[in-house]
């Protein structure tokens, strides 16, 4: 794949700014989505957090079971240096109340998923839920290891029914070796008319870049 050029990156940034300017990108924010903020992780590089715990992991509450809070010395994080194993000594559930939604607006939940490959089963599962929308996700740990977790993105579409909604993740393994979770985020899904506007803006930016290059090449 051809690497992105600086001009390409500036174009993307311009389109994002235009998207923000439309007013559709509201201020919903997942607090500590990459789990970088929380209590100190000991030298063995993970610590078990048990329900009910609303203080150890900034922005999140462990509402049932237990999870492992994992540092990068144990395994490769998906983003930053910390991540979660959704099974501690039992399957765990974490939740956060996310604010800033526009009721009726479509959104997409994003997160990175991998597997604790230190024990079976090979295929690990977790459930993501927000409002009345819920979905089960799986990850096949075959060929992966602590040094090469193989993190991959998962997404779930939902429609906001309130300005604040509860986001949950639940481990689904009957094992101490669960699904790994990192880099949780939510973004609004633009309406078709907005997408057309953004496409037009991107085209204008591209044409402007082409004209500037032509001007440099011809001395105009």
């Amino acid at each position: 794949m051809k690497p992105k050029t600086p001009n390409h990156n500036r174009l993307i940034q311009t389109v994002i700014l235009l998207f923000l300017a439309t007013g559709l990108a509201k201020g919903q924010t997942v607090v500590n989505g990459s789990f970088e903020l929380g209590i100190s992780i000991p030298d063995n590089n993970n610590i078990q957090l048990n329900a009910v715990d609303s203080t150890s992991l900034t922005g999140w509450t462990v509402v049932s079971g237990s999870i492992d809070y994992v540092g990068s010395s144990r395994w490769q994080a998906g983003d930053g240096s910390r991540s979660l194993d959704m099974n501690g000594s039992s399957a765990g559930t974490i939740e956060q109340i996310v604010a800033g939604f526009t009721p009726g607006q479509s959104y997409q939940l994003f997160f990175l998923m991998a597997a604790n490959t230190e024990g079976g089963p090979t295929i690990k599962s977790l459930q993501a839920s927000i409002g009345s929308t819920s979905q089960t996700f799986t990850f096949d740990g075959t060929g992966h290891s602590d040094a090469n977790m193989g993190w991959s993105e998962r997404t779930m579409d939902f429609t906001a029914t309130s300005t604040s909604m509860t986001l949950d993740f639940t481990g689904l393994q009957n094992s101490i070796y669960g699904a790994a979770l990192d880099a949780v985020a939510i973004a609004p899904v633009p309406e078709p008319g907005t997408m057309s506007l953004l496409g037009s803006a991107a085209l204008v930016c591209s044409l402007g870049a082409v004209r500037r290059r032509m001007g440099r090449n011809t001395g105009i």
Side-chain angles (χ1 to χ4, degrees), residues 14-143:
T14 300
V15 172
I16 290 173
L17 288 172
L18 287 168
F19 176 39
L20 293 171
T22 66
L24 289 179
K26 301 300 181 184
Q28 77 293 326
T29 300
V30 176
V31 175
N32 196 25
S34 289
F35 311 117
E36 297 300 293
L37 303 176
I39 62 172
S40 177
I41 296 177
D43 290 341
N44 63 358
N45 229 238
N46 71 269
I47 186 169
Q48 183 172 292
L49 307 181
N50 302 301
V52 173
D53 184 342
S54 61
T55 60
S56 295
L57 188 60
T58 302
W60 298 90
T61 299
V62 182
V63 294
S64 68
S66 62
I67 63 169
D68 283 337
Y69 191 22
V70 183
S72 58
S73 293
R74 179 179 174 190
W75 68 42
Q76 173 198 44
D79 180 54
S81 61
R82 296 182 173 193
S83 59
L84 302 182
D85 181 339
M86 293 306 300
N87 282 58
S89 59
S90 62
T93 297
I94 61 170
E95 75 174 27
Q96 178 178 143
I97 298 175
V98 183
F101 291 106
T102 299
Q105 168 74 40
S106 297
Y107 292 85
Q108 192 167 66
L109 169 69
F110 303 82
F111 60 93
L112 295 180
M113 185 177 181
N116 181 342
T117 61
E118 296 166 358
T122 302
I123 296 177
K124 307 297 169 70
S125 303
L126 62 75
Q127 179 176 282
S129 302
I130 186 164
S132 61
T133 303
S134 183
Q135 188 172 335
T136 297
F137 298 87
T138 61
F139 184 95
D140 188 345
T142 303

Side-chain angles (χ1 to χ4, degrees), residues 104-189:
Q105 168 74 40
S106 297
Y107 292 85
Q108 192 167 66
L109 169 69
F110 303 82
F111 60 93
L112 295 180
M113 185 177 181
N116 181 342
T117 61
E118 296 166 358
T122 302
I123 296 177
K124 307 297 169 70
S125 303
L126 62 75
Q127 179 176 282
S129 302
I130 186 164
S132 61
T133 303
S134 183
Q135 188 172 335
T136 297
F137 298 87
T138 61
F139 184 95
D140 188 345
T142 303
H144 298 295
S145 66
D146 291 351
N148 178 25
M149 294 285 283
W151 292 95
S152 62
E153 185 178 81
R154 301 290 188 268
T155 62
M156 183 177 78
D157 294 329
F158 65 96
T159 300
T161 56
S162 176
T163 57
S164 296
M165 302 180 72
T166 301
L167 170 64
D168 292 273
F169 289 94
T170 300
L172 298 177
Q173 304 310 130
N174 184 22
S175 166
I176 63 172
Y177 308 102
L181 175 68
D182 207 350
V184 179
I186 293 174
V189 177

